[in-house]
Amino acid sequence: MLLARAHGDQETGITCQVGADLFGDEELEVQRPAHLVIAGVAAVTAAAEWLYGIDAVWAWIAAAACGVTVAISLLPPRRPLALAAGAAALILGLVLLFGMHAVRQIECCWPALREARVTAASKQLQGTIADAEAEARRLDSMAVASAADSQPELFEALERAIAQGPQDLERGIVVFGPDGAPRAWAGRHRMVTVADTAELHAVITPFYVTLEARRQTRAGGTAVGTVLLDAAPAIADRGGALSVLFARSHGVELRFDAPDVAARDTDEFDICPQACDKSAPLLVVRPRPPSQGDAKLATLSAVATRAVIVVAVLLLLLLFAAPPGRWRWFVTAGAAWAVARGLFGPAVLPPALFSPATFYRPLLGEFSDSAGSLLALAGLALLAAGALWRRGSPRRWWNVPLAGLLLVYAPYFVRYLGRGIAPPAKGVSIGLWLSWETALAVAGMALVLFAAALVRGPVDPPRRRWPVIAASAWAVGAGLAGLFLWQPSGAWPEWYTFLWLPALVGVIVPAPRRWALPGIAVVAGTAAALVTWGAAVEGRLALAERDAQRLGQEPDPLAVAALDRLGAQVMEDPPPRTAADLYALWRGSPLADEDYPTTLAVWGPRGDEQAELRLATVDLPTPLLAAFARTEPTTGPTVERLERMWGVHYVLTTPVPGDVTLTVGVGPRSRLLPESRIARFLRGEPALEPPYAVTFTLPVSGPGPRAVRWTRSGWTAHGHLGVVLPRSNALVHLTVELRGPWPLLVRAILVVLFDVLLLAMAWGIGRVVVEGWRPMWPIPRSALTSYRGRLTIVLAAFFVAPLIAFSVWSFARLGDTTRASGDLMIHQTLRDAAASANAAPVEDPEKLASLVALLGQSLDADLWAYQGGKLAGTSAPVLAELGLVDPLLSPA
């Protein structure tokens, strides 16, 4: 009843009345925190149910429970923690009520809310645009004041001018000489400033909107200050645009249009060089509020973020306000339930921790559908096992058999949970791997600690340390043996599980707490680390198998559907003309979301290529795509299937306005078709190591194996699969690196130490729940001067501390080595490119651009050349078209 979900007014009233009936008025002075716990748990439960989409009446129920909490906390005796918990409960009720009211207003009265939001944003917009104009004029005025300085001093003055303005807004400043050539510049520039005589000028490109303020210098030159007003969503680093900053602050996006193409309405706002009644507007800016669905989701997310923070504070206050014992257990169970339901996931904890895509087992229902849910339930079980240990229940005839069953079941249970690990296709981060290991380790520690508590007895055991030490050593040896015994087919042999029984039995032998608890953490942590490693490797093997099965002649209906959607989108959007337009088209298509290897091209009326963007090494050469473009045009898009070298390819051919043709070719989703160099630059290098590698052998005699056959060779797993191609058979080779024993050993040592600290923290939390918090007195001097204390300090100084220091140094050294290797490769590439450019000096900008493109292909690198600080050529034109390469570079 205390954890009821508050599905009605009657049940909630019963919940709060139970507290009043249990403790009458004569006990009210003593049991006041108990009432607080009851009402607080009801409020937390109702809050969680609201976050999962309950009706408005349940939010009122939650507020009523919070009101009861506040009323109880205000009655004597007034304890500070009780008052703080009551205030937190009241804040929680207000957050829920106002949040639900906002959601209901969006659902019923969205047109009026939309109009009010646009009106409020328009009022703020006028001041924002005025500030942008003032900033542009300030920049050009400061440039004019410093234009008479020498060039080095002018650069410094422009840098100071940029540093004085708002740092979150992207700005730039240029001083041109009398000949129109840039003389000095500072800030960020997305495009080269065009010559113009207007004092205030707006530049609109397919990807950027900038506001330019210019003024003539005394020497006959021009000073131009620019402010970035807007950037297209295809631009990755658009965070400094005025529209993005305004949307972040007011929840309304901005759209900028030229006055001659903008559809006039009452929401727009004109940007004029002077008063708009005396001059034509430069730009028309219009607030664009979100859709009703997006507004509702944004409101729910904001309210959920605030609510879970208040719930976390309320739980913490309730934990310390409630009396030790059962009332704190109620709070702890409520907290575990909230975490298991993912209440704190979206706002506080990493989303991957509560994602069923990376971990799922159906055994425990919603408590094992993610690593975070399993960790919450296992943590609660670990606290209960610790409480049973402290209680010291007397031994009965069934204690030892039950403990034996737990020990036998523990390895199978942890291994069963490990099969729920599903590594992502892009790789596994250390945080995700550690979340898996922690959940399995806590579950294993809970079972082993329960078994140890059953056989411990009511009194402290004698000082027998050697069984725990021997069990820990045996577990480490069994873990090392598991690294060598693991095989791709079947993982470990059946008898290997029984190899852990001596360690499990030895660690539950009654021993002092300071030896038993670390021993349990070492045994359970070692087993969890091994199971996590094996499950992650098996997941990588499954990913490699699915990758290989996409090759060959198997059709891909998902690719056909994505190309059909893209063809319909092209007919509605403005026609692409440049490589940058093709990139924007691809970024907004399902092909980018599904990571399809793609190549896009625009062809003229005669089949001449006007723009091309190859994002992967697909087997679709340019002459083949040109043949598709030269075919008889149709009224709509068509998708053709081609059986090429690596498997089934699809080509979309569609006419677009302007008497041009667009072709989009995709290949099978496989690492065998890697991203091109320009795609790696546009999307960024992957931060994680690829989970597997794919190679090809062509041709081979015979069809080859129809299912992947895995073998282990040292610390590498090899798989082979036969693929039938149109002209011959082929053999796909899959490689999964297991890494060597030493890196795995270092990681295991660090992870096991983390598990020991985790168990110590759980023990401390359990003590707070059961006995209450008591300050720890300093370590007595006798403990430091005794033989045992000195021996502990010496062993820690000579073994533990150097090991931790060496591990931290190794990780830091690894990062430094990686950065140094990357810097060395960049310097070597630049030296080779500079030597080739010096051997064939070119003054013509077009020839220089062609030379840079050839150097980029030969060196497999993206290069751009500057002359006098000005961009002269890039290896890929799309980089300059997207504004990802500064047209002006600081000479320093």
Side-chain angles (χ1 to χ4, degrees):
M1 183 63 69
L2 294 176
L3 293 178
R5 296 188 176 184
H7 281 176
D9 293 339
Q10 182 179 0
E11 186 170 351
T12 305
I14 292 175
T15 302
C16 297
Q17 187 64 34
V18 166
D21 293 339
L22 286 178
F23 309 103
D25 294 339
E26 65 277 8
E27 296 185 61
L28 194 60
E29 300 294 326
V30 180
Q31 301 293 347
R32 184 69 58 198
H35 295 71
L36 184 66
V37 172
I38 295 173
V41 170
V44 171
T45 307
E49 289 298 326
W50 177 86
L51 292 177
Y52 278 88
I54 63 175
D55 197 75
V57 65
W58 313 131
W60 286 100
I61 293 173
C66 295
V68 174
T69 304
V70 175
I72 293 176
S73 63
L74 292 178
L75 294 176
R78 297 185 180 89
R79 300 187 181 184
L81 288 178
L83 293 175
L90 179 61
I91 294 173
L92 175 61
L94 294 176
V95 168
L96 293 176
L97 284 178
F98 283 109
M100 184 58 69
H101 176 71
V103 172
R104 291 295 179 257
Q105 289 294 108
I106 293 175
E107 292 177 348
C108 71
C109 313
W110 174 242
L113 287 179
R114 181 185 183 279
E115 185 66 25
R117 184 176 294 194
V118 171
T119 302
S122 299
K123 295 180 180 179
Q124 298 292 332
L125 180 60
Q126 297 182 11
T128 303
I129 296 297
D131 293 340
E133 289 186 34
E135 178 62 18
R137 295 181 186 275
R138 183 189 70 84
L139 290 175
D140 75 321
S141 63
M142 295 188 68
V144 169
S146 306
D149 298 339
S150 61
Q151 191 174 23
E153 295 175 349
L154 182 56
F155 271 103
E156 295 179 1
L158 298 185
E159 289 288 348
R160 290 194 298 269
I162 290 293
Q164 292 175 5
Q167 298 303 310
D168 54 348
L169 182 62
E170 186 173 312
R171 299 153 297 130
I173 184 171
V174 187
V175 175
F176 294 92
D179 57 351
R183 182 167 173 249
W185 50 86
R188 180 74 188 274
H189 302 274
R190 298 287 185 163
M191 64 195 78
V192 179
T193 303
V194 298
D196 197 279
T197 58
E199 181 183 359
L200 195 65
H201 179 69
V203 179
I204 302 179
T205 69
F207 298 98
Y208 298 101
V209 178
T210 59
L211 184 65
E212 300 179 351
R214 65 185 67 243
R215 189 176 299 183
Q216 191 172 7
T217 62
R218 297 178 181 178
T222 307
V224 181
T226 63
V227 174
L228 181 63
L229 298 181
D230 191 20
I235 306 302
D237 55 342
R238 60 189 297 262
L242 179 69
S243 60
V244 178
L245 299 175
F246 189 85
R248 193 180 303 161
S249 302
H250 302 89
V252 175
E253 297 180 353
L254 301 179
R255 178 178 178 178
F256 295 86
D257 291 311
D260 54 344
V261 299
R264 313 299 291 184
D265 56 37
T266 58
D267 296 336
E268 65 186 26
F269 176 71
D270 295 337
I271 301 178
C272 305
Q274 298 176 359
C276 288
D277 55 350
K278 297 180 181 180
S279 59
L282 302 175
L283 284 173
V284 175
V285 56
R286 185 180 300 107
R288 297 181 60 186
S291 63
Q292 184 178 9
D294 293 338
K296 180 179 178 180
L297 291 177
T299 302
L300 285 174
S301 177
V303 176
T305 302
R306 293 190 290 267
V308 297
I309 294 175
V310 179
V311 167
V313 174
L314 176 59
L315 287 171
L316 186 63
L317 293 174
L318 288 174
L319 181 65
F320 288 98
R326 53 180 175 175
W327 301 114
R328 290 192 178 181
W329 276 114
F330 291 145
V331 178
T332 306
W337 175 86
V339 174
R341 288 291 301 270
L343 177 61
F344 299 101
V348 181
L349 301 175
L353 188 62
F354 295 91
S355 173
T358 57
F359 183 90
Y360 177 78
R361 294 305 279 168
L363 177 64
L364 303 176
E366 64 182 12
F367 294 101
S368 61
D369 60 358
S370 66
S373 300
L374 177 62
L375 181 60
L377 181 62
L380 184 63
L382 184 60
L383 294 180
L388 183 61
W389 173 289
R390 289 188 185 89
R391 185 178 179 181
S393 59
R395 296 179 181 177
R396 295 181 175 88
W397 65 268
W398 47 266
N399 285 20
V400 174
L402 182 58
L405 290 177
L406 289 175
L407 293 185
V408 173
Y409 179 68
Y412 292 98
F413 180 68
V414 173
R415 191 169 177 180
Y416 168 82
L417 295 176
R419 293 192 181 97
I421 294 175
K426 295 184 178 180
V428 179
S429 63
I430 185 62
L432 182 59
W433 191 93
L434 193 61
S435 68
W436 295 333
E437 194 278 337
T438 303
L440 298 184
V442 173
M445 286 188 289
L447 292 178
V448 178
L449 190 58
F450 266 122
L454 290 175
V455 301
R456 177 177 178 267
V459 297
D460 290 335
R463 298 181 177 180
R464 291 181 296 185
R465 299 183 296 267
W466 66 266
V468 177
I469 298 175
S472 302
W474 186 278
V476 173
L480 291 175
L483 296 177
F484 292 91
L485 292 174
W486 182 89
Q487 294 296 328
S489 56
W492 293 281
E494 290 295 333
W495 56 265
Y496 176 72
T497 304
F498 298 96
L499 191 64
W500 285 87
L501 292 181
L504 294 173
V505 172
V507 82
I508 70 169
V509 173
R513 186 186 68 245
R514 61 177 176 270
W515 289 94
L517 294 182
I520 292 173
V522 169
V523 173
T526 305
L530 181 64
V531 171
T532 304
W533 171 81
V537 173
E538 292 173 8
R540 293 161 62 192
L541 298 181
L543 290 174
E545 289 186 17
R546 288 195 293 268
D547 187 301
Q549 291 168 357
R550 298 191 188 105
L551 302 172
Q553 297 180 329
E554 292 294 330
D556 190 352
L558 183 60
V560 177
L563 289 176
D564 288 336
R565 291 177 57 186
L566 181 60
Q569 176 184 347
V570 171
M571 302 302 294
E572 299 175 358
D573 295 342
R577 289 288 183 267
T578 64
D581 296 335
L582 294 176
Y583 175 71
L585 178 65
W586 172 79
R587 276 289 302 267
S589 70
L591 299 175
D593 299 332
E594 300 295 336
D595 289 331
Y596 272 100
T598 311
T599 178
L600 304 95
V602 175
W603 309 88
R606 300 181 180 178
D608 54 322
E609 186 181 68
Q610 295 184 352
E612 183 184 27
L613 181 63
R614 284 192 171 269
L615 299 171
T617 56
V618 294
D619 186 23
L620 296 172
T622 301
L624 177 62
L625 296 177
F628 276 96
R630 286 192 295 266
T631 56
E632 189 68 21
T634 60
T635 58
T638 60
V639 178
E640 298 288 341
R641 168 177 170 168
L642 298 177
E643 294 182 355
R644 302 294 296 175
M645 177 179 294
W646 312 122
V648 178
H649 289 58
Y650 295 93
V651 178
L652 167 68
T653 307
T654 177
V656 295
D659 200 16
V660 296
T661 303
L662 171 69
T663 60
V664 181
V666 299
R669 289 181 296 169
S670 172
R671 289 188 177 273
L672 190 63
L673 283 69
E675 291 183 325
S676 63
R677 185 183 68 250
I678 188 64
R680 294 194 301 269
F681 182 88
L682 292 173
R683 302 186 66 175
E685 290 288 345
L688 303 175
E689 181 183 355
Y692 57 89
V694 185
T695 56
F696 218 78
T697 298
L698 183 73
V700 295
S701 59
R706 296 185 178 180
V708 179
R709 297 178 180 176
W710 290 100
T711 59
R712 177 175 177 175
S713 176
W715 294 96
T716 304
H718 298 280
H720 307 281
L721 178 68
V723 178
V724 179
L725 297 180
R727 298 182 180 179
S728 63
N729 297 323
L731 191 63
V732 181
H733 305 278
L734 306 174
T735 304
V736 175
E737 294 293 337
L738 307 181
R739 301 180 179 89
W742 289 112
L744 295 177
L745 181 61
V746 172
R747 173 182 287 190
I749 292 175
L750 293 177
V751 168
V752 170
L753 290 177
F754 174 76
D755 292 335
V756 172
L757 295 177
L758 195 64
L759 182 56
M761 184 175 64
W763 184 267
I765 295 175
R767 189 171 212 174
V768 170
V769 172
V770 176
E771 304 175 2
W773 180 79
R774 284 181 262 176
M776 299 294 295
W777 295 101
I779 301 176
R781 184 176 181 181
S782 59
L784 300 177
T785 57
S786 64
Y787 173 76
R788 182 179 300 170
R790 291 196 301 267
L791 181 61
T792 302
I793 295 174
V794 170
L795 292 177
F798 278 92
F799 292 100
V800 179
L803 178 62
I804 296 176
F806 176 74
S807 301
V808 173
W809 177 83
S810 299
F811 275 102
R813 182 65 176 172
L814 181 61
D816 295 339
T817 304
T818 303
R819 286 189 294 269
S821 301
D823 294 342
L824 180 61
M825 182 177 297
I826 292 174
H827 285 298
Q828 183 63 40
T829 303
L830 290 176
R831 282 195 295 266
D832 296 341
S836 301
N838 292 330
V842 178
E843 298 297 335
D844 187 2
E846 295 183 0
K847 295 183 178 179
L848 180 59
S850 301
L851 176 61
V852 173
L854 292 175
L855 289 176
Q857 294 178 1
S858 61
L859 298 175
D860 191 23
D862 289 304
L863 303 173
W864 43 93
Y866 289 85
Q867 289 182 338
K870 293 173 288 184
L871 183 64
T874 64
S875 59
V878 66
L879 301 180
E881 294 171 1
L882 290 173
L884 300 178
V885 179
D886 287 1
L888 299 173
L889 184 68
S890 174

